[in-house]
Amino acid sequence: MTQAAARQRGSAVQTAISEIERRVLWTSTAMIHHANRVRPNPSGLKVGGHQASCASMATIMTALWFGPLTADDRVSVKPHASPVLHAINYLLGELGEDRLTTLREFGGLQSYPSRSKDPDPVDYSTGSVGIGATAPIWGAVARRYVNAHGGQAGTGRQYSLVGDAELDEGAVWEALMDPAVQGLGEVVWIVDLNRQSLDRVVPNIAAQRLATMFSAVGWQVITVMFGALLEELFTRDGGPELRTRILEMPNPEYQRLLRCPAAQLRERLPGDGAGAAPIAGLLATLDDETLMRAIRNLGGHDIGALQAAYARIDDTRPTAIIAYTIKGHRLPTQGHPQNHSSLLTVEQYEQLAGELGEDTDRPWSRFGPDTEAGRMCAAAAARLRRTPGVPAPESGVPTDFGRTPTGTASTQAALGRTLLSLLREAPETASRVVTVSPDVSSTTNLAGWLNKVGVFSPTEKPDWFGDDAETIMHWREKPDGQHLELGIAETNLVGLIGELGATWSRWDHPLYPIGVLYDPFVERALEPWSYGIYAGGQSILVGTPSGVTLAAEGGAHQSIKTPSIGLEQPGCLSYEPAFALDLEWILLSCIGRLGTPDGTSSYLRLSTRPVDQQLAAVPADPAARERRRRQVIAGAYTLRRAERDRPDVVLAGVGAMLTETLAAAARLGQQGIAADVICVSSPGNLFDALQSRRGVGDGPAWILDQVFPAGRAAPLVTVIDGHPHALAFLPGINRVPSVALGVSRFGQAGSLDDVYRYHGIDADSIVRAALDLLGR
């Protein structure tokens, strides 16, 4: 090909990609317009959408999808740019025309990208600000882990398309600052720097400040500030002064210039500084159309500038590309401080159609196959098409190791022992387990497991304390390690287990992630973990120690509301086992629910309180033992049954509270009051069972007949080391009078007896509650 022919070919390609960019902008705008102005809306409520945010991202995403993006890459798209993603997928043939009219409709295209609900390719669910942005970081770790453990996850980049206002979220910087992130060269963030948030032009957003923050944590920073037209103007007389003026003016002032006609722009842009005269002279050489294009010619809307930035990505370290953009670019609302969720009027929509050469009567169209743009779309579709993987064989999770614990043990200690038993009894299953903690491995009883499996690291590192006789926990870092430890940031932990729990659907390589953290901090981690579940990440979150058990630590380390979280969290089963064997059965059952299309996450609330395992009274008969196991998993079992046809009172306890519950039952018996004792292992499962009995849901209704039979209904006392309302529904099973005991105020430091007495969950309080119910 001659030089002239190559230039002609390059010009044709650039023209075609510009046509695609305009079509992406139009299609995304038209989707939102149809949802709000065309589709019938009987309620009259605003459907919504973000046309300005989409316009801000159209060039960035077009340049990426029709540039360096490959089938191995994954992209997290900022929430409000969802229609842009759907528009690109439509042009690539991944979405039918009939779907473009369903944005924000029931069963249609989602308001924000959703892996589980959208019909077209979506790599990461986004919507909760900051969480979707950081997900590709943990996706990169998960991919490396899969590759190191025999999977085939490829080596592509992990892109995050982030709005500048999204960088206000603390979760973003918690993730970026973790030392594990600095070596993730496949991570690329593209920051849409449009200087606007929901309500206003943000006055203090500066690319240099953001660049400094990214650089400080070891990232490469590429700033895409201006487009080709402005860069050329900067080389003329008055150009350096114009550049300085634009860089130094406040964000709101620049945004106001975008709203000015040419005459006002000539008056305002020079300003009143030393460079005003040279700038005015330069502007005098430009016609109105060129001047209006120039003030809008930022790098984030210049295909060539973005392509050059993408070509500079350094794959040896994370990269942040800061792209200057205009919110609402090319729309009649561009640059307006309140355009975030504003909708084009019919007249403005028609005006845009005329400017872009589109037809409002036929808003949905693809490029013809014989056009240069059509050929580019076909080539991109072929390049980005992913080959379906081969699902990994099932590992066969055991349900019972067949041993009955003796002596005294806590459920927290039982966690580590169960993992070690899994290594011995079911090595194939154990090989898929990956544990994660935020610098609390030793204090949550994972030391034995960690010593056996090692710590995951892409490269093997020396254990400098391996020959130290006093070192109990050995920190052996190696590629086949199965434990990951991040810094003390719970949001990072749950973000990582969410992505580790999504490998079954991303790369057909199921993992069984178990995240361990102090139970009081489950609340801090709740939103990103919940969002990970929504996005299809199946994991087990272990909160330990829970409740007021860690009495000496005081209120700061005593959890109150977490039982309610387990009860209410969608897509998640919750358990609080009382005994070591209960924990074993529950953990194995929860592992068995991971890594499948119909799988689910679990939350385990464990205790450091030592409990006499003889109190569990595990049946010796194999059939009776299996019946007990099934009841533990379903939510409850009868631990003690009074020797009467109907008891005087029923005591229902959870977790470590069974010691006090059994003691109270014995004392009531001494007073001639017959008490049944129920061990509740999962309030959530029991609530689902009750709902199922009422015709709502599909919970295990049979458990209510076995554990709360109507023939043994009696006044009920419930006791839990957490807020008492978590069990407040239980009296409704048989409509009996009740008293709910639990923790409903901030804790106190002290001995366990003192703290239990303070909260009214000691044996004395249980006895008094029963006597009050019976009027004795």
Side-chain angles (χ1 to χ4, degrees):
M1 183 183 293
T2 65
Q3 248 185 353
R7 282 196 299 271
Q8 185 175 9
R9 173 63 183 157
S11 177
V13 169
Q14 290 302 107
T15 299
I17 197 169
S18 294
E19 291 175 357
I20 293 171
E21 174 207 11
R22 288 194 296 272
R23 183 64 54 81
V24 167
L25 171 62
W26 167 256
T27 304
S28 59
T29 305
M31 289 167 62
I32 300 169
H33 180 83
H34 186 279
N36 288 273
R37 309 284 193 200
V38 180
R39 193 169 67 216
N41 184 7
S43 71
L45 296 174
K46 178 182 176 181
V47 175
H50 299 85
Q51 290 170 325
S53 293
C54 289
S56 185
M57 288 294 298
T59 316
I60 290 173
M61 292 177 65
T62 301
L64 181 61
W65 260 260
F66 293 87
L69 199 65
T70 72
D72 278 341
D73 298 336
R74 298 293 185 270
V75 187
S76 172
V77 176
K78 82 171 192 177
H80 294 160
S82 172
V84 180
L85 176 61
H86 297 310
I88 290 175
N89 282 335
Y90 171 65
L91 295 179
L92 297 180
E94 296 283 0
L95 197 64
E97 180 179 324
D98 60 320
R99 289 287 192 167
L100 299 183
T101 61
T102 69
L103 180 68
R104 298 190 171 213
E105 186 177 64
F106 184 80
L109 298 179
Q110 298 300 295
S111 308
Y112 310 123
S114 172
R115 289 191 71 227
S116 58
K117 295 181 180 179
D118 276 319
D120 52 331
V122 174
D123 293 331
Y124 289 98
S125 296
T126 58
S128 189
V129 176
I131 295 173
T134 58
I137 289 177
W138 314 123
V141 176
R143 169 181 269 160
R144 291 188 176 204
Y145 186 93
V146 167
N147 285 335
H149 288 78
Q152 301 295 321
T155 57
R157 289 173 179 165
Q158 297 273 350
Y159 291 93
S160 286
L161 309 182
V162 187
D164 50 10
E166 193 167 9
L167 298 180
D168 289 345
E169 284 290 340
V172 167
W173 300 103
E174 285 186 4
L176 266 59
M177 290 178 66
D178 195 282
V181 176
Q182 296 178 15
L184 301 176
E186 64 267 45
V187 171
V188 178
W189 282 30
I190 305 173
V191 180
D192 171 18
L193 191 80
N194 60 42
R195 298 168 300 279
Q196 284 187 239
S197 61
L198 192 149
D199 293 323
R200 60 176 179 153
V201 177
V202 181
N204 297 318
I205 285 181
Q208 185 55 49
R209 180 167 63 92
L210 292 176
T212 300
M213 294 169 73
F214 277 105
S215 296
V217 290
W219 289 46
Q220 174 195 26
V221 179
I222 302 170
T223 302
V224 189
M225 194 171 294
F226 303 115
L229 175 56
L230 270 178
E231 289 289 4
E232 191 278 325
L233 292 180
F234 295 153
T235 65
R236 302 185 189 182
D237 290 341
E241 290 83 359
L242 176 62
R243 180 187 178 91
T244 300
R245 165 77 172 126
I246 292 175
L247 288 175
E248 292 183 351
M249 71 172 59
N251 290 331
E253 182 181 5
Y254 183 83
Q255 294 292 110
R256 182 63 185 90
L257 294 178
L258 299 175
R259 308 288 298 168
C260 292
Q264 286 188 15
L265 192 55
R266 294 180 189 278
E267 178 183 341
R268 293 188 178 207
L269 180 54
D272 55 7
I279 295 172
L282 173 59
L283 300 187
T285 67
L286 307 179
D287 59 57
D288 286 354
E289 191 273 336
T290 302
L291 175 59
M292 297 294 283
R293 281 196 302 113
I295 196 64
R296 292 163 174 78
N297 186 227
L298 299 184
H301 302 301
D302 187 291
I303 294 287
L306 289 166
Q307 290 173 329
Y310 297 161
R312 291 174 54 198
I313 293 173
D314 176 5
D315 288 319
T316 66
R317 56 178 172 154
T319 296
I321 298 174
I322 301 175
Y324 276 61
T325 61
I326 298 170
K327 198 158 190 172
H329 183 246
R330 301 192 70 166
L331 303 185
T333 57
Q334 64 182 325
H336 193 283
Q338 279 87 50
N339 69 4
H340 177 81
S341 56
S342 66
L343 299 168
L344 299 186
T345 65
V346 173
E347 293 75 17
Q348 289 173 328
Y349 179 68
E350 291 173 346
Q351 173 190 337
L352 179 67
E355 293 174 358
L356 298 180
E358 299 290 348
D359 185 351
T360 58
D361 294 327
R362 299 181 61 229
W364 325 118
S365 59
R366 293 189 176 99
F367 295 103
D370 296 329
T371 65
E372 186 65 38
R375 286 189 286 270
M376 286 190 71
C377 288
R383 184 181 73 253
L384 298 174
R385 191 165 295 122
R386 294 168 183 165
T387 303
V390 178
E394 295 185 7
S395 63
V397 181
T399 58
D400 187 349
F401 294 136
R403 293 187 292 272
T404 302
T406 58
T408 301
S410 70
T411 51
Q412 176 178 291
L415 171 69
R417 293 170 187 165
T418 300
L419 289 173
L420 291 174
S421 295
L422 192 66
L423 274 173
R424 292 190 301 268
E425 305 293 335
E428 175 60 28
T429 297
S431 70
R432 297 187 184 182
V433 171
V434 51
T435 55
V436 186
S437 71
D439 198 35
V440 292
S441 299
S442 58
T443 54
T444 54
N445 286 84
L446 288 183
W449 161 263
L450 192 151
N451 286 342
K452 286 288 186 180
V453 301
V455 178
F456 170 70
S457 171
T459 58
E460 189 152 357
K461 299 178 181 179
D463 178 10
W464 296 109
F465 289 86
D467 58 350
D468 187 333
E470 296 182 8
T471 299
I472 298 174
M473 189 170 70
H474 297 285
W475 206 257
R476 290 191 292 269
E477 298 180 80
K478 52 184 182 176
D480 62 348
Q482 291 179 241
H483 177 78
L484 293 102
E485 186 145 308
L486 304 176
I488 305 176
E490 287 78 11
T491 55
N492 291 347
L493 173 131
V494 295
L496 178 53
I497 64 174
E499 289 307 314
L500 290 167
T503 59
W504 67 272
S505 58
R506 290 197 195 282
W507 302 299
D508 295 294
H509 189 91
L511 296 173
Y512 304 147
I514 301 174
V516 180
L517 74 168
Y518 288 171
D519 195 64
F521 308 132
V522 167
E523 293 177 59
R524 183 184 299 172
L526 179 58
E527 186 194 0
W529 187 53
S530 176
Y531 210 83
I533 294 173
Y534 169 80
Q538 300 168 12
S539 60
I540 298 172
L541 187 63
V542 178
T544 183
S546 66
V548 299
T549 303
L550 210 60
E553 296 285 346
H557 279 70
Q558 296 172 5
S559 56
I560 298 172
K561 296 178 288 183
T562 49
S564 304
I565 290 172
L567 186 70
E568 297 164 7
Q569 174 61 48
C572 173
L573 301 176
S574 63
Y575 291 98
E576 185 168 350
F579 302 104
L581 187 55
D582 294 357
L583 179 279
E584 176 187 302
W585 288 336
I586 287 168
L587 183 62
L588 293 176
S589 175
C590 292
I591 290 174
R593 290 187 172 97
L594 299 175
T596 64
D598 59 348
T600 187
S601 295
S602 301
Y603 163 49
L604 276 57
R605 192 171 186 259
L606 306 186
S607 173
T608 53
R609 184 187 184 185
V611 174
D612 181 0
Q613 298 303 299
Q614 296 297 320
L615 296 178
V618 179
D621 180 81
R625 179 186 175 103
E626 174 60 16
R627 181 174 184 266
R628 166 74 68 87
R629 188 195 69 82
R630 293 183 67 247
Q631 289 177 337
V632 167
I633 303 306
Y637 59 92
T638 302
L639 189 54
R640 167 178 166 167
R641 175 164 289 194
E643 295 180 357
R644 291 188 187 177
D645 291 339
R646 183 187 293 268
D648 297 313
V649 67
V650 175
L651 310 180
V654 177
M657 290 290 91
L658 262 296
T659 297
E660 277 64 36
T661 307
L662 287 166
R667 288 169 54 182
L668 289 169
Q670 293 169 3
Q671 301 177 54
I673 298 172
D676 280 359
V677 176
I678 305 299
C679 179
V680 175
S681 55
S682 174
N685 283 2
L686 293 183
F687 181 79
D688 290 344
L690 184 58
Q691 291 289 84
S692 180
R693 174 184 281 183
R694 293 168 175 167
V696 182
D698 55 358
W702 58 267
I703 191 65
L704 303 181
D705 297 326
Q706 291 187 8
V707 181
F708 295 95
R712 296 189 69 81
L716 177 64
V717 178
T718 63
V719 57
I720 185 171
D721 188 1
H723 199 285
H725 85 155
L727 299 180
F729 67 92
L730 289 179
I733 296 173
N734 290 312
R735 296 181 175 86
V736 296
S738 67
V739 173
L741 304 179
V743 179
S744 55
R745 50 184 169 168
F746 288 117
Q748 295 284 342
S751 69
L752 200 60
D753 289 342
D754 288 340
V755 171
Y756 279 3
R757 188 179 305 110
Y758 171 77
H759 289 288
I761 55 176
D762 58 327
D764 285 353
S765 298
I766 299 171
V767 170
R768 282 196 299 268
L771 294 175
D772 289 344
L773 275 177
L774 298 174
R776 303 288 182 92

